[in-house]
Amino acid sequence: MPPNIFTIPASAPFAETLARGLIVRTGADRDPLALSSITLFLPTRRAARALNEVFARMLYGAALLPNIRPLGDVDEDELLFDTGAEPLTIPPAISPLRRRLLLAALVQRWEHKARRGHLTFVQAASLADGLAKLLDEAETQEVDLTKLDKLVPKQFAAHWSEVHKFLKLVRDEWPKLLDAEGALNPAARRNFALRELAARLRDHPPHGLIAAAGSTGSIPATAELIGTIARLPNGLVVLPGLDGELDEASWNDLEPGHPQFGMKELLRRIEMPRHAVSMFDSPPQNGGRETLLRETLRPAPTTDAWRAIAERGSGNIADGLQGLSLIEAAHPGEEAAAVALLFRECLEREDNGRSRTAALVTPDRGLARRVAAEMRRWDVEVDDSAGQKVSLTAPGTFLCLLAEAAATQFAPVPLLALLKHPFASGRQATADFRRRVRQLDRFVLRGPRPEPGLDGLRAAIAVALAAATKSAREYEKAPLSELAYWFGPLGEMLQPLAAVYQGSTASIVDMLDIHLVAAETLATTDSISGDRKLWQRQHGEAVANFCAELRQAAAGLPKIETSSYPLLLRKGLDERVIRPPYGRHPRLAILGPLEARLQSFDVVVLGGLNEGAWPQAPDADPWLSRPMRAQLGLESPERRIGQSAHDFAMLAAQPRVVLTRSQKVDGTPTVRSRWLQRLLQLTRGLGLEERLQPEQPYAQFAAMRDDPSVPPKRMPPPRPCPPIAARPRRLSVTEIETWLRDPFAIYAKHVLRLQPLDPLDAEIGALERGSAIHSALELFLKEIGTDLQDDASLKLIRISDEVFREANLPKGVLALWKPRFLRAANWFVTLERKRRPEIKKSLLEIAGETAFPGPGGEFKLRARADRIDILNDGTAALVDYKTGSLPTPKQVKSLLLPQLPLEGAILAHGGFAEAGPLVPSQLIYIRFGGGAEPGELRPLDDVAALVAKAEQQLIRRIADFDEQEMPYLSRVRPYRADSAGDYDHLARVREWSLIGWEEAEE
């Protein structure tokens, strides 16, 4: 009996054609029960749902539908129906998560034993994924792993020898582990079920129609089932898009990357010649498009046939270009906007009174998310078939942040990310809890990172409270007192989880249990328990199911590094996706190539057609090289490209198709997809390239959509001119430099009263080092007075140790600072001995203030001098300590660094009350470094003239800014062109400066 095997051409709507043919064959248009006798196998669940909808639409819902079952990702209850045989019992498939963990433990144990490496568990899990994929490939393609013994490692790189040994170990040991689990590999179980079904169909053929449709039979077991169905008396096989018109030379030369290669392999496996396949009820509906795609994707050795097309005319190719267009956008944002405009056009227009349907088909999930976001501009929600990662849901994010915060010993950034999560409440009202977290952020965590752990945070709160008390900052003291009380219960909630991470290893189950208890406790409010918040609705249920599966999968495993747990958790949640149960748009869809199989739409957008994206580049196999794969008999990675090419050819054959790509991604030029390159080569050679222009310039519309109708004018720099009464009448000598360089910063600080916050996790830098050294030098000079004994250097070092300890500086920072301080301390004591004979008395860290006249009233200048040395001749030397570079002569001469000269002016006017009015005869910079040159003494020249000039310049500056029209300009003379100021974002410097900052004028 001839086999019942047919094909539906690529240009015909597969689901509609298949449904119509089955209705005619069974007479379902007359008998509403006729379809119920059909058992139909389709490649995916989505295809099954689509066909059900087609049947319901054609029969107006008044019929029993066929028994439709998916061939992919199935269990025996869906495949093995009653064929007169005994029920089939198959061991369950091992869960993917359990398999990953077992293989990871195996990989890690082998690595530590064979190579004495330090492979972490999460790294081993990544390798385990590749190993699981290799096992699935071997079982799917029925490769005998005993061939591993015949591999010749000498032919390959040396490290493959170790890999070869491990693969042999896995081959021998993994089946034993599966037996102990009472489970099978998923691929092996699927193969067993498919072959058992094929055998039962042969031995006990059912009475109703058995059909397999839409499958390319890429899995040998599936191909065997298709061959069995094709030879049944009541069997029917319908192939998708078999090209019967491709010439024999091309058919015989097909390579794995060709869209028809899979069809050829399927026919070979079921021993069926191509000419035996008949057309299923419907001829090609767009013969021109099929011809165009056939020639575009023609095997390279036979592309000389294009010359014949050019000679005889391109009429058929030109017909195929009708309804096919190409959009090449500048970047992914423009590509997404163009697709969104296409979608919007479909919603606005109708075809003969029927609403249009449209779909974006792309493997590029970034493009899919962008298009979905663009559609929300018009309040249109489009469902992305890829779904949402569970790790990005509220409960998933909360669990990941909690694990990561504990793993980093509650460092400021991950801690605040956790505590500011909407679920974090700490058994309080959420608003009250969030207020405390903001206070913790502002008053404690800004600046250098505290010591690690909860104890480090408690110490940081205590240090901040002590500093606020000492400086009488009441606006900080009250919140910090409350924070110290508030953090107690919070620390108790987190302490069990913190204790786990203090150890180097722990079991996954123990970490998970403690983690979940901490999460529920932290999520509890004053009125709602944490478990009710975390595990409710679809998102919470998905996370709870994963946690339950992880606990079950990790049972009996050895301990892992505690640092691997957060990464393992996030990776697992990343791989789980959820899809909205409702709210999908009825006419628009965003699909991956697999989900789009066998579906038809009025408009199909094939997006992301760049090489490496579609088709995707083959993944590197971490376990086998290409020669080793070939020697084992595994398929080449290009076979997947052939499957992608088949999906592309089927989708591109629909009536209206728009191809899209981005010319650049992340600023990097892209390469057109190989299919698109060949399409353009063919059309250019035939002079038909212009036929690919879209009906509307969607990309240009997308670019124009956000452009203003009038070209924007360049924003001018801000020129705030506050009232004279609001302008500051009191500044410090260090702020005078800011007033000269960046007046806007003075305006923001003293008029607007804005104070910049220190960054989180700030590095211990020059500011902290300078403050500590200033304090150490002050205490040292006060202690020794005028007596410099032989152990003076040791005293300075002892004092510095006390200062550094009180500053709560991290040990890693001290390890770098202390050696430099030792060298600088010895140099400084030697310098003091040289200068001591001319010094009568030293005043340290002395505050002073003096007033200068101005049109707007008295202006007070204040200062805190590092040191004033009263000399034996009745004059004074002003000393400024520097821990960084010293001012350049040009800066000193131009008075862009006027601190020392202005301190001299205050001293001359008697502003330093303790010193009295003195003539400043010396202005000295002392650099306390500790590097190759441990220090430097640099006195300034012509002190009297420099002090007088600084005073006159200040008086002029006061007078200038006492004019109402004088603005506080931004970045008048910045220290460097690329140096950012604290208030540059407020001045919107990047909007009016050519390079983001104005050039320095020094």
Side-chain angles (χ1 to χ4, degrees):
M1 179 178 180
N4 299 317
I5 185 165
F6 303 88
T7 185
I8 295 176
S11 60
F14 190 94
E16 287 81 352
T17 304
L18 177 64
R20 190 180 301 109
L22 292 177
I23 289 173
V24 171
R25 279 173 168 74
T26 60
D29 51 345
R30 300 181 302 275
D31 181 4
L33 302 180
L35 288 177
S36 62
S37 63
I38 300 175
T39 300
L40 178 60
F41 295 100
L42 293 178
T44 64
R45 296 179 186 273
R46 187 177 285 268
R49 290 196 299 270
L51 187 62
N52 275 330
E53 293 173 0
V54 171
F55 274 123
R57 185 171 64 249
M58 286 185 173
L59 299 173
Y60 304 100
L64 290 179
L65 299 182
N67 183 8
I68 301 178
R69 304 180 179 188
L71 282 169
D73 190 23
V74 297
D75 57 37
E76 70 273 14
D77 292 335
E78 294 175 319
L79 284 176
L80 303 179
F81 49 92
D82 183 12
T83 59
E86 293 295 325
L88 180 65
T89 301
I90 309 177
I94 187 171
S95 81
L97 186 55
R98 176 67 173 175
R99 180 170 66 165
R100 169 188 290 169
L101 297 180
L102 287 173
L103 288 173
L106 190 63
V107 170
Q108 190 180 43
R109 188 164 59 250
W110 165 74
E111 170 71 14
H112 290 182
K113 181 179 179 181
R115 304 175 67 179
R116 297 182 181 178
H118 299 283
L119 198 68
T120 65
F121 190 83
V122 73
Q123 291 171 330
S126 180
L127 291 173
D129 291 338
L131 188 57
K133 182 180 176 182
L134 175 61
L135 291 173
D136 283 342
E137 279 189 88
E139 290 177 339
T140 296
Q141 299 168 30
E142 301 174 332
V143 170
D144 186 2
L145 290 181
T146 59
K147 293 182 180 179
L148 285 170
D149 296 328
K150 298 180 181 179
L151 288 180
V152 185
K154 294 181 182 179
Q155 296 178 357
F156 308 115
H159 72 278
W160 289 115
S161 176
E162 292 294 328
V163 173
H164 172 242
K165 293 177 183 177
F166 175 69
L167 291 178
K168 290 172 64 177
L169 174 67
V170 171
R171 179 198 64 191
D172 298 335
E173 296 299 324
W174 181 242
K176 299 177 184 177
L177 288 174
L178 286 177
D179 289 342
E181 295 287 320
L184 297 174
N185 271 327
R189 188 177 187 277
R190 179 199 57 214
N191 288 348
F192 184 83
L194 288 170
R195 286 207 161 83
E196 183 65 21
L197 174 59
R200 292 189 175 200
L201 287 175
R202 288 191 297 269
D203 297 340
H204 305 280
H207 299 292
L209 179 65
I210 301 293
S215 175
T216 59
S218 57
I219 300 172
T222 304
E224 181 181 331
L225 175 61
I226 291 174
T228 299
I229 293 175
R231 290 177 171 83
L232 291 176
N234 54 345
L236 177 68
V237 172
V238 183
L239 302 179
L242 175 66
D243 190 353
E245 299 298 323
L246 185 64
D247 59 89
E248 285 297 321
S250 297
W251 179 263
N252 293 331
D253 289 337
L254 290 181
E255 296 179 346
H258 193 275
Q260 292 296 309
F261 184 82
M263 295 283 97
K264 178 183 176 181
E265 286 295 292
L266 173 61
L267 294 178
R268 181 187 63 80
R269 283 189 175 119
I270 65 177
E271 300 177 350
M272 193 75 60
R274 181 171 55 145
H275 61 77
V277 180
S278 305
M279 199 69 66
F280 186 78
D281 293 346
S282 175
Q285 297 189 6
N286 191 343
R289 181 69 58 77
E290 290 195 25
T291 300
L292 171 66
L293 293 172
R294 180 183 306 118
E295 296 300 332
T296 297
L297 302 175
R298 173 181 287 278
T302 63
T303 50
D304 57 336
W306 289 0
R307 185 181 299 276
I309 296 174
E311 292 174 354
R312 70 172 181 263
S314 57
N316 209 14
I317 299 293
D319 292 342
L321 289 171
Q322 294 181 9
L324 181 67
S325 57
L326 170 64
I327 296 175
E328 294 193 283
H331 51 81
E334 186 174 286
E335 181 182 5
V339 175
L341 289 174
L342 267 165
F343 275 10
R344 180 63 188 265
E345 181 187 45
C346 291
L347 295 180
E348 299 292 337
R349 294 188 177 181
E350 295 182 346
D351 290 331
N352 300 322
R354 185 178 65 85
S355 298
R356 286 184 178 182
T357 59
L360 166 65
V361 182
T362 179
D364 186 347
R365 304 328 307 166
L367 176 62
R369 288 191 295 269
R370 285 176 183 268
V371 172
E374 288 285 345
M375 292 304 296
R376 294 190 189 103
R377 288 190 177 212
W378 301 297
D379 293 329
V380 177
E381 287 289 339
V382 185
D383 176 38
D384 182 358
S385 66
Q388 181 187 20
K389 292 181 179 179
V390 174
S391 63
L392 299 180
T393 63
T397 302
F398 185 66
L399 286 187
C400 290
L401 289 176
L402 178 56
E404 290 161 2
T408 59
Q409 300 186 67
F410 301 102
V413 174
L415 175 65
L416 288 177
L418 167 67
L419 298 183
K420 291 184 178 182
H421 190 281
F423 279 2
S425 299
R427 293 182 178 147
Q428 301 176 19
T430 304
D432 293 338
F433 185 86
R434 200 77 67 248
R435 179 168 57 86
R436 299 295 183 209
V437 173
R438 287 193 291 268
Q439 291 172 345
L440 181 70
D441 179 3
R442 179 181 176 185
F443 298 123
V444 179
L445 297 181
R446 294 286 166 171
R449 177 186 292 197
E451 287 292 331
L454 297 172
D455 291 338
L457 290 171
R458 293 186 185 96
I461 294 174
V463 168
L465 179 58
T469 303
K470 182 178 179 180
S471 58
R473 296 194 302 268
E474 293 298 329
Y475 70 95
E476 291 185 16
K477 183 179 177 182
L480 285 168
S481 299
E482 296 174 359
L483 271 179
Y485 176 77
W486 167 81
F487 191 79
L490 178 63
E492 292 176 2
M493 295 178 201
L494 300 176
Q495 184 58 45
L497 187 60
V500 171
Y501 284 94
Q502 289 174 358
S504 58
T505 61
S507 75
I508 296 177
V509 174
D510 290 345
M511 283 190 285
L512 178 63
D513 290 341
I514 295 173
H515 181 200
L516 295 183
V517 170
E520 291 181 354
T521 305
L522 185 59
T524 300
T525 70
D526 56 344
S527 59
I528 303 175
S529 64
D531 56 343
R532 288 179 55 193
K533 286 178 63 177
L534 282 175
W535 317 125
Q536 64 179 345
R537 301 192 179 93
Q538 184 189 18
H539 294 171
E541 183 178 353
V543 176
N545 289 340
F546 170 78
C547 292
E549 184 179 344
L550 178 60
R551 179 183 288 105
Q552 184 177 2
L557 288 179
K559 294 181 178 181
I560 69 169
E561 311 84 13
T562 53
S563 60
S564 291
Y565 174 77
L567 300 172
L568 197 66
L569 178 74
R570 184 172 286 278
K571 182 177 176 64
L573 290 173
D574 276 343
E575 294 173 350
R576 301 297 178 95
V577 297
I578 54 175
R579 297 175 177 86
Y582 56 87
R584 300 182 178 94
H585 198 282
R587 294 161 53 197
L588 302 177
I590 299 175
L591 304 170
L594 177 64
E595 292 84 8
R597 288 178 184 175
L598 312 186
Q599 299 197 60
S600 302
F601 301 91
D602 296 319
V603 178
V604 176
V605 181
L606 304 183
L609 284 169
N610 285 323
E611 197 67 16
W614 199 7
Q616 293 180 337
D619 295 332
D621 189 338
W623 295 104
L624 292 177
S625 64
R626 278 178 175 260
M628 293 174 76
R629 290 176 60 90
Q631 193 167 338
L632 274 176
L634 292 171
E635 290 180 343
S636 69
E638 283 70 25
R639 176 64 190 276
R640 293 187 180 180
I641 294 179
Q643 294 171 348
S644 296
H646 186 268
D647 292 335
F648 171 80
M650 292 288 292
L651 293 163
Q654 299 199 29
R656 186 185 177 196
V657 177
V658 181
L659 313 174
T660 71
R661 65 174 291 265
S662 302
Q663 295 174 335
K664 286 187 177 182
V665 175
D666 295 332
T668 303
T670 58
V671 177
R672 296 185 182 99
S673 170
R674 62 190 65 187
W675 311 315
L676 193 53
Q677 290 184 54
R678 301 194 67 180
L679 175 64
L680 291 175
Q681 290 170 358
L682 177 62
T683 54
R684 284 171 184 165
L686 298 176
L688 300 173
E689 185 179 7
E690 293 185 358
R691 299 283 187 94
L692 288 172
Q693 293 295 324
E695 298 177 3
Q696 302 289 343
Y698 297 103
Q700 289 87 333
F701 288 165
M704 293 168 55
R705 184 185 57 180
D706 295 325
D707 285 348
S709 56
V710 179
K713 294 182 180 180
R714 190 173 186 82
M715 178 181 176
R719 300 176 59 88
C721 296
I724 300 299
R727 302 189 181 200
R729 308 305 303 175
R730 186 172 183 266
L731 294 176
S732 68
V733 290
T734 54
E735 289 175 322
I736 299 301
E737 179 187 351
T738 306
W739 200 13
L740 294 172
R741 293 184 178 276
D742 190 5
F744 186 87
I746 297 297
Y747 164 76
K749 181 177 180 180
H750 292 279
V751 179
L752 300 182
R753 301 182 183 278
L754 298 175
Q755 294 290 337
L757 285 175
D758 292 332
L760 288 168
D761 241 352
E763 294 184 1
I764 304 292
L767 180 61
E768 290 76 21
R769 183 168 179 264
S771 298
I773 290 176
H774 276 65
S775 298
L777 294 180
E778 177 191 0
L779 294 173
F780 168 71
L781 292 174
K782 285 181 178 179
E783 181 175 325
I784 66 170
T786 59
D787 185 16
L788 274 172
Q789 298 179 359
D790 294 340
D791 63 345
S793 296
L794 296 178
K795 286 184 178 180
L796 177 54
I797 294 169
R798 175 181 54 78
I799 291 171
S800 70
D801 290 341
E802 293 291 334
V803 170
F804 291 158
R805 183 167 56 252
E806 290 179 2
N808 199 30
L809 296 175
K811 297 178 181 178
V813 172
L814 293 179
L816 296 175
W817 283 11
K818 291 193 70 173
R820 295 172 61 90
F821 190 91
L822 295 179
R823 291 192 293 271
N826 292 325
W827 173 87
F828 180 78
V829 170
T830 302
L831 175 66
E832 279 297 304
R833 287 197 174 101
K834 291 180 180 179
R835 294 187 65 244
R836 185 64 60 175
E838 65 175 338
I839 299 174
K840 180 179 179 181
K841 181 182 179 182
S842 293
L843 302 175
L844 306 171
E845 294 294 331
I846 178 173
E849 183 177 85
T850 191
F852 294 92
E858 187 179 65
F859 184 94
K860 292 184 178 181
L861 180 67
R862 70 180 189 275
R864 177 171 289 275
D866 291 345
R867 178 175 173 180
I868 299 177
D869 290 335
I870 302 176
L871 305 179
N872 294 327
D873 61 3
T875 62
L878 280 161
V879 179
D880 186 19
Y881 297 127
K882 295 291 186 184
T883 54
S885 59
L886 297 179
T888 64
K890 185 177 180 180
Q891 291 170 337
V892 172
K893 185 177 179 180
S894 62
L895 286 173
L896 280 173
L897 292 175
Q899 179 178 349
L900 265 184
L902 288 177
E903 287 180 2
I906 296 174
L907 179 63
H909 286 280
F912 292 104
E914 189 175 345
L918 291 173
V919 175
S921 61
Q922 297 180 29
L923 300 179
I924 301 173
Y925 288 109
I926 293 180
R927 183 176 66 83
F928 192 98
E933 294 184 4
E936 180 182 356
L937 175 73
R938 182 181 295 177
L940 300 183
D941 299 329
D942 199 3
V943 172
L946 198 61
V947 171
K949 182 180 177 182
E951 183 174 345
Q952 292 169 7
Q953 181 174 288
L954 176 61
I955 292 173
R956 286 198 303 270
R957 192 75 172 170
I958 295 169
D960 289 342
F961 277 85
D962 279 346
E963 296 290 337
Q964 180 61 51
E965 294 77 15
M966 185 65 174
Y968 285 83
L969 299 176
S970 175
R971 299 183 66 84
V972 175
R973 302 185 72 179
Y975 185 73
R976 280 205 324 264
D978 60 348
S979 64
D982 291 333
Y983 301 97
D984 283 357
H985 62 292
L986 185 63
R988 305 176 74 172
V989 171
R990 292 184 180 272
E991 297 185 27
W992 51 263
S993 175
L994 291 176
I995 61 171
W997 295 283
E998 286 296 316
E999 291 290 347
E1001 298 180 7
E1002 295 181 18

